Amino acid sequence: MPAPHRDRHHHHVLVRKLDRLVPLTEDDAGALADLSVGARQVRPRTELLHEGDTPDEVILVLEGFAARCKFQPTGHRQILAHLLPGDLCEADAGHLSRLDFSVGTLSACMVAFIPRRALVSTLERHPAMARALRLAKLQEEAISREWLVNVGCRSALERMAHLLCELQVRLQAVGFATRNGYGFPITQQDLGDTLGLSNVHVNRTLRVLRDQNLIEWRERQMRILDLPQLQAIAAFKAGYLHSTTGHESLPR
Amino acid sequence: MPAPHRDRHHHHVLVRKLDRLVPLTEDDAGALADLSVGARQVRPRTELLHEGDTPDEVILVLEGFAARCKFQPTGHRQILAHLLPGDLCEADAGHLSRLDFSVGTLSACMVAFIPRRALVSTLERHPAMARALRLAKLQEEAISREWLVNVGCRSALERMAHLLCELQVRLQAVGFATRNGYGFPITQQDLGDTLGLSNVHVNRTLRVLRDQNLIEWRERQMRILDLPQLQAIAAFKAGYLHSTTGHESLPR
DNA sequence: CGTCCTCTTGAGACTACTCAAGCGGGGTGG
DNA sequence: CCACCCCGCTTGAGTAGTCTCAAGAGGACG
């Protein structure tokens, strides 16, 4: 029993992600999949783009956790965004002279480096993809707004719960989470740099969630035991992710 | 002694701001200025766009301080961005179904409500403006990244100093700051909601800066007495604002 | 087998918060 | 014109949340 024709490339993360935002043709999907030939396995804690660079390649994460981050003179690191499978990074950074942050892997990752020119020309030939990427960018911005709220006015427990809920939704949208958990191959230090907490306090906060039987985290696998309760703690509203069931209104 | 021809519209904030990013023709400038006819005076603490709305108008601030903000169920408010004179807000929000934040004035403001269709058609006829707006958007994103760093890993004193430095640069770029200060008509509570601090702690933090003769803030006028020292406290690097002397490289 | 890295837990310190009270200026109504 | 009131600023006191320093345990890897 053959899969429907239009699903031929749907094993590809980026296709899965964008098709939820804007229905793609089989032709679109193929062109998209072609962009990520030559993907490479990258070790954890590897810098992919450096602060101050003017990269002529765009990063596409296919597997694993990567991140945008900024390093402070004090040695502190702030993680600005998690780059999950299907996330395309710095698509329009070419407009700026220099990056004001760096991009690196947290875990081992499968990453494609897409020449900007190739991306641009593909987008010109596939306007639906361009529209989907604009929507994806808006989602990203909504996430970073929520992160500012997180560090700005939530307690450690609330922040942690909120992040775990967000990842559940985002990863599920690209097929990297089950109903009650996901692979979570990052360190507690990474988590601290994400949430603006010390690694020690991250540990204590996780223990509270574990002691309340809300989560379990072993062998790089996060199990969400009580999602409703976790969402309640975080006052988590999935709406901001704009990824509910796909196919947003398409003005303009 | 007549002003040079191309300066005819340069009394307009948005023209001043965008012309620094991409040189505009007199024709561009005129079209831009036309968009803000019908600007209105708005009282402080007025909501301009509401969370959940799908606005068909874009906000242009001509005078005063406005802000994007998110309200929490707990009653807390997080300010996501300051909208200063020359800032154009939610230019591409039309792509999303619903706003996940609201926009409101902090101080009394002069604001233009620009119908999205008018903006779009002007941008189609003036591609330089469209390019300038894309660059302005990138600046905004850089600022919000820096804000995340601010609340994520800086102390109260550092956060405050950093914000004051940022405003000095941003306001000077649109002619709303002198070399050593600017009008600063917002409350300490607003400042707290911006920096993730309580209003009480904002007050104490300001007193430290005042006691060290770094700033003076009276009658809604902020005077920066020692900018280098303030920048040193904040580890402030103006580079992220990408507004140094204008006319960035223009790829693509 | 040793080393390194991450996780874990304890103890003590410090930053920032909450609650509370007083002050001062600007606007409003008598 | 004056009195009052409200809102924002200021300062104090005590508390809570988070941080730093430190030490030990458990794995992974060479």
Side-chain angles (χ1 to χ4, degrees):
Chain A
M1 50 187 192
H5 180 228
R6 65 184 306 278
D7 284 351
R8 183 146 52 102
H9 291 98
H10 276 48
H11 64 279
H12 191 291
V13 236
L14 184 52
V15 174
R16 271 205 302 268
K17 176 174 161 183
L18 296 190
D19 188 62
R20 289 173 69 101
L21 298 172
V22 175
L24 299 179
T25 65
E26 175 63 17
D27 191 40
D28 293 332
L32 205 46
D34 287 346
L35 283 175
S36 55
V37 297
R40 302 206 313 254
Q41 185 72 29
V42 180
R43 303 170 137 279
R45 314 189 155 267
T46 308
E47 284 227 326
L48 302 175
L49 302 176
H50 306 267
E51 182 168 346
D53 278 6
T54 312
D56 55 355
E57 285 175 324
V58 168
I59 304 285
L60 170 60
V61 179
L62 297 170
E63 281 176 42
F65 276 58
R68 284 195 200 100
C69 44
K70 266 186 122 144
F71 295 93
Q72 295 305 107
T74 60
H76 284 108
R77 172 181 68 155
Q78 177 65 43
I79 291 184
L80 302 166
H82 286 163
L83 304 173
L84 307 181
D87 282 351
L88 195 59
C89 178
E90 314 333 322
D92 41 22
H95 291 291
L96 281 185
S97 34
R98 309 194 285 110
L99 280 189
D100 55 70
F101 54 88
S102 51
V103 176
T105 59
L106 301 179
S107 71
C109 284
M110 183 68 81
V111 176
F113 295 82
I114 303 174
R116 186 177 310 282
R117 280 178 318 171
L119 178 64
V120 168
S121 87
T122 300
L123 292 184
E124 279 165 359
R125 280 176 287 117
H126 299 274
M129 278 178 45
R131 211 158 54 232
L133 278 183
R134 277 199 298 273
L135 288 177
K137 176 104 189 286
L138 289 177
Q139 287 185 6
E140 247 184 58
E141 289 166 16
I143 291 166
S144 79
R145 282 191 289 270
E146 201 62 48
W147 280 30
L148 189 59
V149 173
N150 230 14
V151 288
C153 52
R154 284 200 263 254
S155 71
L157 196 70
E158 292 165 340
R159 288 181 215 186
M160 183 67 72
H162 199 277
L163 180 67
L164 296 180
C165 291
E166 178 192 299
L167 288 172
Q168 172 69 31
V169 174
R170 288 177 65 190
L171 289 169
Q172 211 163 350
V174 287
F176 275 72
T178 63
R179 179 167 291 281
N180 60 356
Y182 41 88
F184 197 46
I186 78 176
T187 67
Q188 294 185 0
Q189 180 67 57
D190 295 333
L191 217 33
D193 293 345
T194 300
L195 298 173
L197 299 172
S198 69
N199 56 351
V200 175
H201 203 60
V202 163
N203 186 290
R204 294 192 217 275
T205 304
L206 285 169
R207 195 163 66 80
V208 172
L209 292 176
R210 182 158 26 91
D211 288 351
Q212 297 188 7
N213 289 314
L214 300 178
I215 65 168
E216 231 176 71
W217 187 18
R218 288 196 329 255
E219 320 257 321
R220 301 178 167 177
Q221 193 66 31
M222 178 65 69
R223 305 198 71 79
I224 309 291
L225 303 178
D226 189 346
L227 186 55
Q229 183 57 22
L230 207 58
Q231 292 175 333
I233 289 174
F236 181 82
K237 302 280 173 211
Y240 75 95
L241 290 166
H242 301 290
S243 72
T244 40
T245 44
H247 304 167
E248 306 281 327
S249 62
L250 300 170
R252 197 171 180 278
Chain B
M1 49 184 191
H5 181 229
R6 67 183 304 278
D7 284 352
R8 183 148 49 105
H9 291 99
H10 276 47
H11 63 278
H12 192 290
V13 237
L14 184 52
V15 174
R16 272 205 302 267
K17 176 174 162 184
L18 296 189
D19 188 61
R20 288 173 69 102
L21 298 172
V22 176
L24 299 179
T25 64
E26 176 64 18
D27 190 39
D28 292 333
L32 206 45
D34 287 346
L35 283 175
S36 55
V37 297
R40 302 205 314 254
Q41 185 73 29
V42 180
R43 303 169 138 281
R45 314 191 154 267
T46 308
E47 284 227 325
L48 301 175
L49 302 176
H50 307 267
E51 182 169 347
D53 277 6
T54 313
D56 55 355
E57 286 173 324
V58 167
I59 304 285
L60 169 60
V61 179
L62 297 170
E63 281 177 41
F65 276 58
R68 284 196 199 99
C69 44
K70 265 186 124 144
F71 295 92
Q72 295 305 107
T74 59
H76 284 106
R77 171 181 69 156
Q78 177 65 43
I79 291 183
L80 301 166
H82 285 163
L83 303 172
L84 307 181
D87 283 350
L88 195 59
C89 177
E90 314 333 323
D92 42 22
H95 291 291
L96 282 183
S97 36
R98 308 194 285 108
L99 280 188
D100 54 69
F101 54 88
S102 51
V103 176
T105 59
L106 302 178
S107 72
C109 285
M110 183 69 82
V111 176
F113 295 82
I114 304 174
R116 186 176 309 281
R117 280 178 317 170
L119 178 64
V120 168
S121 86
T122 300
L123 292 183
E124 279 164 1
R125 281 176 286 119
H126 300 273
M129 277 178 47
R131 210 159 53 232
L133 278 183
R134 277 198 298 272
L135 287 176
K137 176 103 189 286
L138 289 176
Q139 286 185 7
E140 248 184 58
E141 289 167 15
I143 291 166
S144 78
R145 282 191 288 270
E146 200 61 49
W147 280 31
L148 190 58
V149 173
N150 230 14
V151 289
C153 52
R154 284 201 262 253
S155 71
L157 196 69
E158 291 165 342
R159 288 181 216 187
M160 182 67 71
H162 199 279
L163 180 68
L164 296 180
C165 291
E166 176 191 300
L167 288 172
Q168 173 69 33
V169 174
R170 289 177 66 190
L171 289 169
Q172 212 163 350
V174 287
F176 275 72
T178 64
R179 178 169 292 282
N180 61 356
Y182 41 87
F184 197 45
I186 78 177
T187 68
Q188 294 186 359
Q189 179 67 56
D190 294 333
L191 217 33
D193 293 345
T194 299
L195 299 173
L197 300 171
S198 69
N199 55 352
V200 175
H201 203 60
V202 163
N203 186 289
R204 294 192 219 274
T205 305
L206 286 169
R207 194 162 67 79
V208 172
L209 292 175
R210 183 159 23 93
D211 289 351
Q212 298 187 8
N213 288 316
L214 300 177
I215 64 167
E216 230 175 71
W217 187 17
R218 289 196 329 254
E219 320 256 321
R220 302 179 167 177
Q221 193 67 28
M222 178 66 69
R223 304 196 70 79
I224 308 292
L225 304 178
D226 189 346
L227 186 56
Q229 182 57 23
L230 207 58
Q231 291 175 334
I233 289 175
F236 181 82
K237 302 281 174 212
Y240 75 94
L241 290 165
H242 301 288
S243 73
T244 41
T245 45
H247 304 167
E248 307 281 329
S249 63
L250 299 170
R252 200 171 182 278

